[in-house]
Structures are given as structure tokens and as C-alpha cells.
Amino acid sequence: RFECGVDVGRNLPGKELLKKYDRILLAGGASNPRDIEVPGRDAKGIYFAVDFLKNVTKTLLDSNFKEIPYHLARGKKVLVIGGGPAGLSASINVRARGRSALVVSNPLEENPLWRAEKVDNYLGLPGLSGAEMLAAMRRHAEQAGVEFLAGKVLNAVQMPDAWYVSVGPDMYNARAVVLAAGVARGKKFAGEAELLGRGVSYCATCD
């Protein structure tokens, strides 16, 4: 059952939920994305993937899909840092608005999701391994016309005409940058790395 227009804590007290249900799952989305420390990070024109997608969705819903938020991508070549689900989703949204997108990331095999043996609770894609899920998302982005570059971003500098982003020894320019670098992981427990995928697993959808 779905109930729309509910704001927990305002028009629905949290105490009522606690009385009515034995367990409550919080799925409000990530509020603390991983930042990266590079020169020029504090300049205008860089967005976190979550913020970018939220603004796009809000504009479309508020206008009943009559207003397209071109101000986020009009005339821009958008460079997305990170090739996981958030980065790929952001790049597809950029392409849907007729703008070019370049995703810079490590190879898919280095993404933590790739090592998930089975992800059975991701909406619409049940029963897939992490590798299969990432491959499907990547194909979707490729079919949408997203460009890809394997590499590590070293720094990003905003100039009057564009952003200049160095990837290894090469320099790329873009009108906007989206950060989708994933979650930060702490120090591994003893035996965690050795047993990963052999009894030790992560929550892929949580990450």
C-alpha cells in the first residue's frame, strides 16, 4: 500500500508509526555523499549526483512534466566522475536532455557492486549478480550515447569558459561536473578482504 503526500514528523507523527508497526525501514536516500579533495572543488558548477537528480526530478514533477530543467545542462558538456549506479543515472538524465556526457571512472570490475554475488532486492532487476547489474546499467548508458573514459581524476579547475579536469596525463573540458564517487569505506576487518564473496558480503543496495 502506498500513501503519498505524507511528511513524517509533520502531518504524520513518528509515535503513530511506532505504535502501528513492529519495524520501520528508512529509505530516504543518501544525504552525505563522498566528496573529493581537489583544487577548485568549492567553485560553482559542480554538483553531487543526488543533488543533480533531485533538482531535475523536482522541476519535472512540480511542472507536471511541462518544464524541462535545461538550466542544469543547456549547452553543456557534462563530465561525470564515477561510473556506479548514481553516475550512470546522472549521465542518462543528461543525455535525455540532449546534452553530451562523459563518465570518468575506474573499470567496472573495480566497483564494489561488481563483487556482489547476488542482488535480489533492487527494484526491477531481481536475481542479478552485481556484475550483471552494472553491465546492464552500463549498456543502457552506452545506448543513450554516453561516452566513457577509464581513469582517475587528479584535479578539476574552473576557468571563465569551462571546467578543466585532468585525468591521468590528459586534460578534458566540460561546462559542468557531477560528482558520483560513491561511498567512503573504513578500514577493513581482519579477514574481510580474503573472504569477500565467500561468505562475507556487503549490502549492495544500501551502498
Side-chain angles (χ1 to χ4, degrees):
R1 192 181 78 179
F2 291 85
E3 291 189 21
C4 301
V6 176
D7 192 338
V8 177
R10 292 188 178 178
N11 57 10
L12 178 61
K15 291 183 178 179
E16 287 189 19
L17 289 176
L18 293 174
K19 290 179 180 178
K20 190 174 181 180
Y21 300 99
D22 296 326
R23 297 290 186 271
I24 297 175
L25 297 179
L26 298 179
S31 58
N32 297 305
R34 185 177 70 175
D35 210 336
I36 57 175
E37 295 182 4
V38 294
R41 169 62 188 90
D42 57 345
K44 295 180 179 180
I46 290 186
Y47 308 93
F48 283 118
V50 172
D51 297 333
F52 177 82
L53 297 173
K54 180 175 68 175
N55 290 335
V56 169
T57 302
K58 186 177 186 304
T59 301
L60 290 172
L61 292 177
D62 288 349
S63 66
N64 196 24
F65 295 89
K66 293 180 180 179
E67 179 183 347
I68 299 177
Y70 283 124
H71 64 282
L72 293 175
R74 182 182 294 276
K76 298 177 180 177
K77 180 175 182 180
V78 180
L79 189 147
V80 180
I81 301 175
L88 294 174
S89 180
S91 67
I92 289 172
N93 274 275
V94 170
R95 289 295 299 139
R97 284 147 188 84
R99 312 305 161 192
S100 60
L102 172 65
V103 173
V104 180
S105 71
N106 293 325
L108 284 181
E109 295 81 0
E110 296 183 16
N111 190 293
L113 178 58
W114 185 270
R115 297 190 290 272
E117 181 179 353
K118 185 177 182 181
V119 183
D120 208 21
N121 59 342
Y122 193 90
L123 185 63
L125 295 173
L128 298 182
S129 67
E132 291 171 332
M133 181 175 291
L134 272 176
M137 294 177 178
R138 173 72 175 254
R139 284 195 302 271
H140 185 174
E142 290 174 339
Q143 292 167 358
V146 176
E147 301 174 52
F148 288 88
L149 174 67
K152 182 177 181 180
V153 173
L154 301 179
N155 58 48
V157 179
Q158 186 182 35
M159 303 297 285
D161 59 333
W163 279 93
Y164 289 85
V165 180
S166 64
V167 182
D170 300 317
M171 184 71 69
Y172 296 83
N173 65 77
R175 295 292 302 278
V177 174
V178 175
L179 292 180
V183 298
R185 296 192 180 277
K187 185 178 179 181
K188 294 183 181 297
F189 291 100
E192 178 181 348
E194 295 81 3
L195 297 176
L196 183 61
R198 292 182 292 172
V200 174
S201 62
Y202 303 128
C203 175
T205 53
C206 300
D207 294 343

